[in-house]
Amino acid sequence: EPEVTQTPSHQVTQMGQEVILRCVPISNHLYFYWYRQILGQKVEFLVSFYNNEISEKSEIFDDQFSVERPDGSNFTLKIRSTKLEDSAMYFCASSVKRGSQETQYFGPGTRLLVL
Amino acid sequence: GNSVTQMEGPVTLSEEAFLTINCTYTATGYPSLFWYVQYPGEGLQLLLKATKADDKGSNKGFEATYRKETTSFHLEKGSVQVSDSAVYFCALNTNTGNQFYFGTGTSLTVIP
């Protein structure tokens, strides 16, 4: 069964460094998403992406963050100048279509630790 | 606004016990409701969903009914197994379908 994959599974970085989290969505999906979960808190929406542009973003997704689909398969989240509070689990998701009944398929997550 | 509140964990049950994980929501419009499960080391997997009031989602012995009058979508299973040990997330998807709103997750451990 097709699945969303994410790399790396774990990332440790120093405060102020840039990190790139990578995702390979399911191949026939057109909508892509990033979420994060700070330890002990809710899974929070960051951004959705369709047709090579951001379609919606939350207030968390400020200028520190950017997303890109550099080729036909990868979907990346870049975090510039990381802060301690960026430590979280980051989930990528994809869906075939957009709509309230549409299921989003999630990857296993990347655990980011900023020291 | 949109939000999901789910039962705090962790929950520990003996095998074959009855499981309930409470979930309530607030939403504008008519959301769809979902339960996702995360097994250790894996991603969030869809467990079941319901797209309108009074719908019942079911899968692998788990059930949840979309109750608009109580704005709830409680997850139940009549007899849990050790293999059900995981973290369970309640979520809603809004009319625009652009983002999910999740609860904090409830960790379930089933002991033999």
Side-chain angles (χ1 to χ4, degrees), chain B residues 93-109:
Chain B
N93 194 359
T94 62
N95 286 348
T96 63
N98 221 0
Q99 62 172 283
F100 273 58
Y101 294 84
F102 283 88
T104 51
T106 301
S107 174
L108 170 67
T109 301

Side-chain angles (χ1 to χ4, degrees), chain B residues 10-77:
Chain B
V11 174
T12 301
L13 295 174
S14 298
E15 207 165 21
E16 299 184 5
F18 184 86
L19 168 71
T20 300
I21 301 178
N22 289 339
C23 172
T24 57
Y25 68 91
T26 58
T28 53
Y30 303 95
S32 293
L33 301 173
F34 300 75
W35 278 99
Y36 280 82
V37 58
Q38 185 178 32
Y39 299 103
E42 299 184 19
L44 298 170
Q45 301 175 19
L46 177 67
L47 181 60
L48 53 85
K49 72 179 187 183
T51 58
K52 60 183 188 295
D54 300 325
D55 266 4
K56 178 187 284 188
S58 61
N59 185 25
K60 300 181 182 179
F62 291 88
E63 292 183 341
T65 302
Y66 187 165
R67 300 279 188 210
K68 195 164 188 291
E69 64 276 14
T70 54
T71 62
S72 65
F73 192 55
H74 304 321
L75 182 68
E76 296 182 336
K77 186 174 186 182

